[in-house]
Amino acid sequence: MRTQRQVVDYSLQKRAVLRELLAGRVGTYDVCDASPYLKNAARFHGEPTEQRCPICRSENLTHVHYIYGDELKQSAGQARTLAELPVLAMTLREFQVFVVEVCLGCDWNHLVEQFLLGRDGLAEGGPEQGVADAATAPAHGRRREAQR
Ligand SMILES: [Zn+2]
C-alpha cells in the first residue's frame, strides 16, 4: 500500500515461538489459543493466504487486519478487510494496522507485522522508512513472547 510506513516485522518472534514448540518448552495449547473473537474476525474480515499453518499443516492461514488510532474513534480495535484499508488510508491522516495470522483449523495465531497507514505518508519525499521498536508494540495476537 502506498502510504505504508514504519513496518515492524514479527517473523523472528514467530520463529522463536515455533522453536520453543519444537523443543517442547511450550505446548500447542499455549500457542493455539485463538479467541472466538479472533476466529470470527478471521471468518468475516480475514484475508485467505496460500501459507500452510506451521502447526497442523492442514489448513491455510488467514490474515486479520486490526486497526488502531485516535481518528478511528469507536472503530479503533476493529478488524477490517484488506480491501478497506486503502480507502481508510486516503481518508485518515494516520492509523496503525496490526496483521495477525490465524489458523481456523487448530487455532494457531501470531502477530505477523504492524505498520502505519494514512495520508501523512504521502508527504513530499515519499514515505519515510523507520523501523519502530517491536518491544513497544501492544501485545495482542501473541501475548507470550518467548520467555527465557
Ligand atoms: Zn493449524
Side-chain angles (χ1 to χ4, degrees), residues 93-135:
R93 288 182 54 229
E94 183 171 286
F95 61 101
Q96 189 94 45
V97 181
F98 288 88
V99 185
V100 179
E101 65 178 35
V102 191
C103 172
L104 290 171
C106 72
D107 292 359
W108 155 257
N109 61 107
H110 198 278
L111 191 55
V112 176
E113 62 175 358
Q114 70 173 81
F115 50 84
L116 287 177
L117 285 182
R119 286 187 286 111
D120 273 6
L122 296 175
E124 64 276 31
E128 82 265 33
Q129 278 299 320
V131 175
D133 183 1

mmCIF file of all heavy atoms in Angstrom, residues 93-135:
data_model
loop_
_atom_site.group_PDB
_atom_site.id
_atom_site.type_symbol
_atom_site.label_atom_id
_atom_site.label_comp_id
_atom_site.label_asym_id
_atom_site.label_seq_id
_atom_site.Cartn_x
_atom_site.Cartn_y
_atom_site.Cartn_z
ATOM 1 N N ARG A 93 -5.472 10.584 8.474
ATOM 2 C CA ARG A 93 -4.084 11.033 8.424
ATOM 3 C C ARG A 93 -3.146 9.900 8.812
ATOM 4 O O ARG A 93 -2.114 9.668 8.174
ATOM 5 C CB ARG A 93 -3.882 12.219 9.369
ATOM 6 C CG ARG A 93 -4.532 13.501 8.857
ATOM 7 C CD ARG A 93 -4.251 14.641 9.797
ATOM 8 N NE ARG A 93 -2.820 14.779 10.018
ATOM 9 C CZ ARG A 93 -2.260 14.878 11.219
ATOM 10 N NH1 ARG A 93 -3.010 14.875 12.300
ATOM 11 N NH2 ARG A 93 -0.960 14.992 11.340
ATOM 12 N N GLU A 94 -3.501 9.193 9.867
ATOM 13 C CA GLU A 94 -2.599 8.143 10.334
ATOM 14 C C GLU A 94 -3.338 7.143 11.209
ATOM 15 O O GLU A 94 -4.097 7.523 12.097
ATOM 16 C CB GLU A 94 -1.469 8.775 11.156
ATOM 17 C CG GLU A 94 -0.439 7.756 11.617
ATOM 18 C CD GLU A 94 0.775 8.440 12.225
ATOM 19 O OE1 GLU A 94 1.559 8.999 11.447
ATOM 20 O OE2 GLU A 94 0.911 8.414 13.449
ATOM 21 N N PHE A 95 -3.122 5.882 10.951
ATOM 22 C CA PHE A 95 -3.617 4.840 11.850
ATOM 23 C C PHE A 95 -2.700 3.639 11.766
ATOM 24 O O PHE A 95 -1.924 3.474 10.823
ATOM 25 C CB PHE A 95 -5.075 4.465 11.555
ATOM 26 C CG PHE A 95 -5.317 3.902 10.167
ATOM 27 C CD1 PHE A 95 -5.451 2.540 9.970
ATOM 28 C CD2 PHE A 95 -5.419 4.747 9.070
ATOM 29 C CE1 PHE A 95 -5.679 2.010 8.706
ATOM 30 C CE2 PHE A 95 -5.650 4.229 7.793
ATOM 31 C CZ PHE A 95 -5.776 2.867 7.616
ATOM 32 N N GLN A 96 -2.786 2.832 12.801
ATOM 33 C CA GLN A 96 -1.905 1.684 12.961
ATOM 34 C C GLN A 96 -2.640 0.422 12.511
ATOM 35 O O GLN A 96 -3.822 0.274 12.802
ATOM 36 C CB GLN A 96 -1.561 1.563 14.446
ATOM 37 C CG GLN A 96 -0.502 0.556 14.778
ATOM 38 C CD GLN A 96 0.869 1.192 14.858
ATOM 39 O OE1 GLN A 96 1.017 2.241 15.444
ATOM 40 N NE2 GLN A 96 1.842 0.557 14.276
ATOM 41 N N VAL A 97 -1.940 -0.434 11.801
ATOM 42 C CA VAL A 97 -2.525 -1.712 11.391
ATOM 43 C C VAL A 97 -1.702 -2.845 11.997
ATOM 44 O O VAL A 97 -0.471 -2.829 11.938
ATOM 45 C CB VAL A 97 -2.529 -1.858 9.845
ATOM 46 C CG1 VAL A 97 -3.160 -3.192 9.438
ATOM 47 C CG2 VAL A 97 -3.268 -0.699 9.197
ATOM 48 N N PHE A 98 -2.381 -3.783 12.621
ATOM 49 C CA PHE A 98 -1.739 -4.993 13.135
ATOM 50 C C PHE A 98 -2.258 -6.164 12.329
ATOM 51 O O PHE A 98 -3.465 -6.339 12.203
ATOM 52 C CB PHE A 98 -2.070 -5.216 14.610
ATOM 53 C CG PHE A 98 -1.384 -4.243 15.518
ATOM 54 C CD1 PHE A 98 -1.966 -3.036 15.816
ATOM 55 C CD2 PHE A 98 -0.135 -4.537 16.053
ATOM 56 C CE1 PHE A 98 -1.326 -2.121 16.641
ATOM 57 C CE2 PHE A 98 0.513 -3.634 16.876
ATOM 58 C CZ PHE A 98 -0.086 -2.421 17.173
ATOM 59 N N VAL A 99 -1.354 -6.949 11.775
ATOM 60 C CA VAL A 99 -1.750 -8.112 10.994
ATOM 61 C C VAL A 99 -1.495 -9.365 11.838
ATOM 62 O O VAL A 99 -0.375 -9.590 12.297
ATOM 63 C CB VAL A 99 -0.951 -8.200 9.674
ATOM 64 C CG1 VAL A 99 -1.471 -9.350 8.823
ATOM 65 C CG2 VAL A 99 -1.025 -6.886 8.916
ATOM 66 N N VAL A 100 -2.539 -10.141 12.047
ATOM 67 C CA VAL A 100 -2.427 -11.366 12.844
ATOM 68 C C VAL A 100 -2.753 -12.550 11.947
ATOM 69 O O VAL A 100 -3.730 -12.510 11.202
ATOM 70 C CB VAL A 100 -3.423 -11.334 14.033
ATOM 71 C CG1 VAL A 100 -3.327 -12.616 14.858
ATOM 72 C CG2 VAL A 100 -3.168 -10.118 14.913
ATOM 73 N N GLU A 101 -1.913 -13.590 11.988
ATOM 74 C CA GLU A 101 -2.246 -14.790 11.230
ATOM 75 C C GLU A 101 -2.979 -15.761 12.147
ATOM 76 O O GLU A 101 -2.652 -15.893 13.321
ATOM 77 C CB GLU A 101 -0.994 -15.434 10.617
ATOM 78 C CG GLU A 101 0.002 -15.982 11.618
ATOM 79 C CD GLU A 101 1.207 -16.652 10.948
ATOM 80 O OE1 GLU A 101 1.637 -16.175 9.886
ATOM 81 O OE2 GLU A 101 1.705 -17.638 11.508
ATOM 82 N N VAL A 102 -4.007 -16.389 11.590
ATOM 83 C CA VAL A 102 -4.832 -17.310 12.363
ATOM 84 C C VAL A 102 -5.049 -18.573 11.554
ATOM 85 O O VAL A 102 -5.245 -18.513 10.342
ATOM 86 C CB VAL A 102 -6.238 -16.721 12.645
ATOM 87 C CG1 VAL A 102 -6.970 -17.568 13.678
ATOM 88 C CG2 VAL A 102 -6.160 -15.287 13.095
ATOM 89 N N CYS A 103 -5.029 -19.715 12.232
ATOM 90 C CA CYS A 103 -5.422 -20.969 11.603
ATOM 91 C C CYS A 103 -6.787 -21.340 12.154
ATOM 92 O O CYS A 103 -6.948 -21.497 13.363
ATOM 93 C CB CYS A 103 -4.408 -22.069 11.905
ATOM 94 S SG CYS A 103 -4.991 -23.689 11.346
ATOM 95 N N LEU A 104 -7.764 -21.471 11.268
ATOM 96 C CA LEU A 104 -9.117 -21.817 11.721
ATOM 97 C C LEU A 104 -9.226 -23.312 12.016
ATOM 98 O O LEU A 104 -10.230 -23.776 12.533
ATOM 99 C CB LEU A 104 -10.155 -21.384 10.678
ATOM 100 C CG LEU A 104 -10.320 -19.862 10.573
ATOM 101 C CD1 LEU A 104 -11.189 -19.483 9.391
ATOM 102 C CD2 LEU A 104 -10.897 -19.299 11.874
ATOM 103 N N GLY A 105 -8.171 -24.049 11.684
ATOM 104 C CA GLY A 105 -8.187 -25.477 11.980
ATOM 105 C C GLY A 105 -7.757 -25.768 13.403
ATOM 106 O O GLY A 105 -8.459 -26.451 14.151
ATOM 107 N N CYS A 106 -6.606 -25.224 13.808
ATOM 108 C CA CYS A 106 -6.048 -25.590 15.113
ATOM 109 C C CYS A 106 -5.940 -24.413 16.075
ATOM 110 O O CYS A 106 -5.458 -24.567 17.187
ATOM 111 C CB CYS A 106 -4.674 -26.240 14.934
ATOM 112 S SG CYS A 106 -3.391 -25.067 14.431
ATOM 113 N N ASP A 107 -6.365 -23.218 15.633
ATOM 114 C CA ASP A 107 -6.369 -22.022 16.490
ATOM 115 C C ASP A 107 -5.002 -21.391 16.709
ATOM 116 O O ASP A 107 -4.824 -20.533 17.573
ATOM 117 C CB ASP A 107 -7.006 -22.302 17.865
ATOM 118 C CG ASP A 107 -8.497 -22.561 17.756
ATOM 119 O OD1 ASP A 107 -9.032 -22.508 16.623
ATOM 120 O OD2 ASP A 107 -9.126 -22.807 18.791
ATOM 121 N N TRP A 108 -4.007 -21.829 15.943
ATOM 122 C CA TRP A 108 -2.709 -21.138 15.991
ATOM 123 C C TRP A 108 -2.923 -19.679 15.618
ATOM 124 O O TRP A 108 -3.719 -19.354 14.730
ATOM 125 C CB TRP A 108 -1.743 -21.787 14.993
ATOM 126 C CG TRP A 108 -0.643 -20.886 14.510
ATOM 127 C CD1 TRP A 108 -0.584 -20.253 13.302
ATOM 128 C CD2 TRP A 108 0.565 -20.540 15.203
ATOM 129 N NE1 TRP A 108 0.580 -19.536 13.208
ATOM 130 C CE2 TRP A 108 1.312 -19.677 14.362
ATOM 131 C CE3 TRP A 108 1.080 -20.866 16.457
ATOM 132 C CZ2 TRP A 108 2.538 -19.150 14.721
ATOM 133 C CZ3 TRP A 108 2.304 -20.337 16.831
ATOM 134 C CH2 TRP A 108 3.026 -19.493 15.973
ATOM 135 N N ASN A 109 -2.238 -18.767 16.309
ATOM 136 C CA ASN A 109 -2.312 -17.345 15.948
ATOM 137 C C ASN A 109 -1.031 -16.662 16.358
ATOM 138 O O ASN A 109 -0.413 -17.021 17.365
ATOM 139 C CB ASN A 109 -3.519 -16.672 16.595
ATOM 140 C CG ASN A 109 -3.481 -16.711 18.107
ATOM 141 O OD1 ASN A 109 -3.238 -15.713 18.764
ATOM 142 N ND2 ASN A 109 -3.693 -17.892 18.695
ATOM 143 N N HIS A 110 -0.616 -15.712 15.536
ATOM 144 C CA HIS A 110 0.598 -14.955 15.851
ATOM 145 C C HIS A 110 0.576 -13.629 15.121
ATOM 146 O O HIS A 110 0.066 -13.542 13.997
ATOM 147 C CB HIS A 110 1.851 -15.747 15.463
ATOM 148 C CG HIS A 110 3.086 -15.242 16.141
ATOM 149 N ND1 HIS A 110 3.789 -14.159 15.680
ATOM 150 C CD2 HIS A 110 3.712 -15.650 17.266
ATOM 151 C CE1 HIS A 110 4.808 -13.938 16.493
ATOM 152 N NE2 HIS A 110 4.780 -14.828 17.469
ATOM 153 N N LEU A 111 1.144 -12.607 15.750
ATOM 154 C CA LEU A 111 1.280 -11.315 15.109
ATOM 155 C C LEU A 111 2.266 -11.433 13.945
ATOM 156 O O LEU A 111 3.351 -11.995 14.111
ATOM 157 C CB LEU A 111 1.788 -10.320 16.155
ATOM 158 C CG LEU A 111 1.791 -8.834 15.832
ATOM 159 C CD1 LEU A 111 0.402 -8.359 15.408
ATOM 160 C CD2 LEU A 111 2.246 -8.068 17.061
ATOM 161 N N VAL A 112 1.882 -10.962 12.772
ATOM 162 C CA VAL A 112 2.741 -11.036 11.588
ATOM 163 C C VAL A 112 3.555 -9.756 11.441
ATOM 164 O O VAL A 112 4.766 -9.770 11.327
ATOM 165 C CB VAL A 112 1.905 -11.256 10.308
ATOM 166 C CG1 VAL A 112 2.791 -11.238 9.074
ATOM 167 C CG2 VAL A 112 1.135 -12.555 10.397
ATOM 168 N N GLU A 113 2.859 -8.626 11.437
ATOM 169 C CA GLU A 113 3.537 -7.344 11.298
ATOM 170 C C GLU A 113 2.608 -6.217 11.724
ATOM 171 O O GLU A 113 1.404 -6.407 11.886
ATOM 172 C CB GLU A 113 4.004 -7.117 9.854
ATOM 173 C CG GLU A 113 2.858 -7.071 8.857
ATOM 174 C CD GLU A 113 3.309 -6.714 7.444
ATOM 175 O OE1 GLU A 113 4.494 -6.472 7.224
ATOM 176 O OE2 GLU A 113 2.435 -6.675 6.572
ATOM 177 N N GLN A 114 3.214 -5.070 11.937
ATOM 178 C CA GLN A 114 2.427 -3.869 12.178
ATOM 179 C C GLN A 114 2.982 -2.765 11.307
ATOM 180 O O GLN A 114 4.146 -2.787 10.934
ATOM 181 C CB GLN A 114 2.480 -3.474 13.654
ATOM 182 C CG GLN A 114 3.839 -2.956 14.085
ATOM 183 C CD GLN A 114 3.809 -2.424 15.514
ATOM 184 O OE1 GLN A 114 3.875 -3.178 16.467
ATOM 185 N NE2 GLN A 114 3.725 -1.122 15.640
ATOM 186 N N PHE A 115 2.140 -1.821 10.940
ATOM 187 C CA PHE A 115 2.617 -0.681 10.156
ATOM 188 C C PHE A 115 1.623 0.454 10.279
ATOM 189 O O PHE A 115 0.514 0.283 10.794
ATOM 190 C CB PHE A 115 2.829 -1.075 8.685
ATOM 191 C CG PHE A 115 1.677 -1.785 8.042
ATOM 192 C CD1 PHE A 115 0.612 -1.085 7.506
ATOM 193 C CD2 PHE A 115 1.658 -3.179 7.972
ATOM 194 C CE1 PHE A 115 -0.453 -1.746 6.905
ATOM 195 C CE2 PHE A 115 0.592 -3.861 7.373
ATOM 196 C CZ PHE A 115 -0.459 -3.134 6.847
ATOM 197 N N LEU A 116 2.062 1.621 9.828
ATOM 198 C CA LEU A 116 1.200 2.796 9.816
ATOM 199 C C LEU A 116 0.665 3.009 8.411
ATOM 200 O O LEU A 116 1.372 2.771 7.429
ATOM 201 C CB LEU A 116 1.983 4.043 10.234
ATOM 202 C CG LEU A 116 2.365 4.190 11.704
ATOM 203 C CD1 LEU A 116 3.194 5.460 11.880
ATOM 204 C CD2 LEU A 116 1.131 4.236 12.592
ATOM 205 N N LEU A 117 -0.569 3.442 8.331
ATOM 206 C CA LEU A 117 -1.168 3.859 7.065
ATOM 207 C C LEU A 117 -1.786 5.237 7.271
ATOM 208 O O LEU A 117 -2.028 5.645 8.398
ATOM 209 C CB LEU A 117 -2.273 2.884 6.633
ATOM 210 C CG LEU A 117 -1.878 1.534 6.060
ATOM 211 C CD1 LEU A 117 -3.139 0.767 5.670
ATOM 212 C CD2 LEU A 117 -0.973 1.676 4.855
ATOM 213 N N GLY A 118 -2.055 5.919 6.156
ATOM 214 C CA GLY A 118 -2.737 7.206 6.248
ATOM 215 C C GLY A 118 -2.091 8.245 5.366
ATOM 216 O O GLY A 118 -0.959 8.081 4.916
ATOM 217 N N ARG A 119 -2.836 9.347 5.164
ATOM 218 C CA ARG A 119 -2.390 10.393 4.240
ATOM 219 C C ARG A 119 -1.077 11.039 4.649
ATOM 220 O O ARG A 119 -0.366 11.576 3.811
ATOM 221 C CB ARG A 119 -3.484 11.465 4.126
ATOM 222 C CG ARG A 119 -4.676 11.034 3.308
ATOM 223 C CD ARG A 119 -5.631 12.185 3.094
ATOM 224 N NE ARG A 119 -6.386 12.495 4.304
ATOM 225 C CZ ARG A 119 -6.233 13.613 5.025
ATOM 226 N NH1 ARG A 119 -5.383 14.527 4.635
ATOM 227 N NH2 ARG A 119 -6.943 13.819 6.112
ATOM 228 N N ASP A 120 -0.748 11.009 5.941
ATOM 229 C CA ASP A 120 0.518 11.591 6.386
ATOM 230 C C ASP A 120 1.706 10.978 5.654
ATOM 231 O O ASP A 120 2.750 11.596 5.538
ATOM 232 C CB ASP A 120 0.706 11.388 7.894
ATOM 233 C CG ASP A 120 0.044 12.512 8.676
ATOM 234 O OD1 ASP A 120 -0.633 13.350 8.039
ATOM 235 O OD2 ASP A 120 0.212 12.540 9.897
ATOM 236 N N GLY A 121 1.547 9.764 5.177
ATOM 237 C CA GLY A 121 2.632 9.079 4.479
ATOM 238 C C GLY A 121 2.835 9.592 3.074
ATOM 239 O O GLY A 121 3.776 9.198 2.400
ATOM 240 N N LEU A 122 1.941 10.461 2.602
ATOM 241 C CA LEU A 122 2.057 10.980 1.239
ATOM 242 C C LEU A 122 2.831 12.290 1.194
ATOM 243 O O LEU A 122 2.952 12.904 0.157
ATOM 244 C CB LEU A 122 0.666 11.193 0.631
ATOM 245 C CG LEU A 122 -0.166 9.927 0.448
ATOM 246 C CD1 LEU A 122 -1.566 10.272 -0.045
ATOM 247 C CD2 LEU A 122 0.509 8.982 -0.527
ATOM 248 N N ALA A 123 3.370 12.733 2.330
ATOM 249 C CA ALA A 123 4.154 13.967 2.385
ATOM 250 C C ALA A 123 5.303 13.893 1.382
ATOM 251 O O ALA A 123 5.766 12.815 1.028
ATOM 252 C CB ALA A 123 4.698 14.181 3.782
ATOM 253 N N GLU A 124 5.767 15.082 0.935
ATOM 254 C CA GLU A 124 6.832 15.125 -0.072
ATOM 255 C C GLU A 124 8.057 14.351 0.427
ATOM 256 O O GLU A 124 8.337 14.309 1.609
ATOM 257 C CB GLU A 124 7.236 16.570 -0.422
ATOM 258 C CG GLU A 124 7.849 17.367 0.695
ATOM 259 C CD GLU A 124 6.787 18.004 1.591
ATOM 260 O OE1 GLU A 124 5.692 17.427 1.740
ATOM 261 O OE2 GLU A 124 7.061 19.058 2.138
ATOM 262 N N GLY A 125 8.749 13.717 -0.531
ATOM 263 C CA GLY A 125 9.897 12.908 -0.153
ATOM 264 C C GLY A 125 9.502 11.442 0.015
ATOM 265 O O GLY A 125 10.337 10.601 0.227
ATOM 266 N N GLY A 126 8.215 11.168 -0.089
ATOM 267 C CA GLY A 126 7.755 9.783 -0.001
ATOM 268 C C GLY A 126 7.699 9.307 1.430
ATOM 269 O O GLY A 126 8.155 9.990 2.341
ATOM 270 N N PRO A 127 7.162 8.127 1.600
ATOM 271 C CA PRO A 127 7.018 7.597 2.955
ATOM 272 C C PRO A 127 8.380 7.355 3.604
ATOM 273 O O PRO A 127 9.259 6.772 2.975
ATOM 274 C CB PRO A 127 6.262 6.277 2.745
ATOM 275 C CG PRO A 127 6.345 5.989 1.285
ATOM 276 C CD PRO A 127 6.653 7.256 0.569
ATOM 277 N N GLU A 128 8.535 7.858 4.787
ATOM 278 C CA GLU A 128 9.809 7.603 5.471
ATOM 279 C C GLU A 128 9.805 6.173 5.982
ATOM 280 O O GLU A 128 8.773 5.659 6.389
ATOM 281 C CB GLU A 128 10.038 8.591 6.617
ATOM 282 C CG GLU A 128 9.352 8.251 7.926
ATOM 283 C CD GLU A 128 7.997 8.949 8.082
ATOM 284 O OE1 GLU A 128 7.320 9.157 7.042
ATOM 285 O OE2 GLU A 128 7.622 9.272 9.192
ATOM 286 N N GLN A 129 10.940 5.553 5.883
ATOM 287 C CA GLN A 129 11.019 4.164 6.330
ATOM 288 C C GLN A 129 11.709 4.101 7.676
ATOM 289 O O GLN A 129 12.927 4.144 7.767
ATOM 290 C CB GLN A 129 11.784 3.315 5.306
ATOM 291 C CG GLN A 129 10.932 2.861 4.143
ATOM 292 C CD GLN A 129 9.760 1.993 4.565
ATOM 293 O OE1 GLN A 129 9.906 1.151 5.443
ATOM 294 N NE2 GLN A 129 8.588 2.210 3.983
ATOM 295 N N GLY A 130 10.951 4.036 8.707
ATOM 296 C CA GLY A 130 11.537 3.899 10.031
ATOM 297 C C GLY A 130 11.197 2.523 10.554
ATOM 298 O O GLY A 130 10.182 1.971 10.204
ATOM 299 N N VAL A 131 12.042 1.988 11.371
ATOM 300 C CA VAL A 131 11.736 0.704 11.989
ATOM 301 C C VAL A 131 11.513 0.957 13.474
ATOM 302 O O VAL A 131 12.421 1.349 14.184
ATOM 303 C CB VAL A 131 12.863 -0.327 11.779
ATOM 304 C CG1 VAL A 131 12.552 -1.599 12.550
ATOM 305 C CG2 VAL A 131 13.014 -0.631 10.296
ATOM 306 N N ALA A 132 10.284 0.788 13.877
ATOM 307 C CA ALA A 132 9.959 1.009 15.285
ATOM 308 C C ALA A 132 10.454 -0.158 16.120
ATOM 309 O O ALA A 132 10.774 -1.223 15.594
ATOM 310 C CB ALA A 132 8.459 1.183 15.440
ATOM 311 N N ASP A 133 10.511 0.061 17.392
ATOM 312 C CA ASP A 133 10.957 -0.972 18.302
ATOM 313 C C ASP A 133 9.817 -1.938 18.591
ATOM 314 O O ASP A 133 8.790 -1.553 19.120
ATOM 315 C CB ASP A 133 11.434 -0.311 19.603
ATOM 316 C CG ASP A 133 11.990 -1.335 20.580
ATOM 317 O OD1 ASP A 133 12.015 -2.534 20.236
ATOM 318 O OD2 ASP A 133 12.402 -0.928 21.670
ATOM 319 N N ALA A 134 10.009 -3.179 18.225
ATOM 320 C CA ALA A 134 8.952 -4.176 18.392
ATOM 321 C C ALA A 134 8.550 -4.328 19.856
ATOM 322 O O ALA A 134 7.427 -4.687 20.174
ATOM 323 C CB ALA A 134 9.407 -5.518 17.843
ATOM 324 N N ALA A 135 9.463 -4.035 20.748
ATOM 325 C CA ALA A 135 9.194 -4.228 22.176
ATOM 326 C C ALA A 135 8.140 -3.252 22.696
ATOM 327 O O ALA A 135 7.505 -3.512 23.705
ATOM 328 C CB ALA A 135 10.478 -4.075 22.973
#
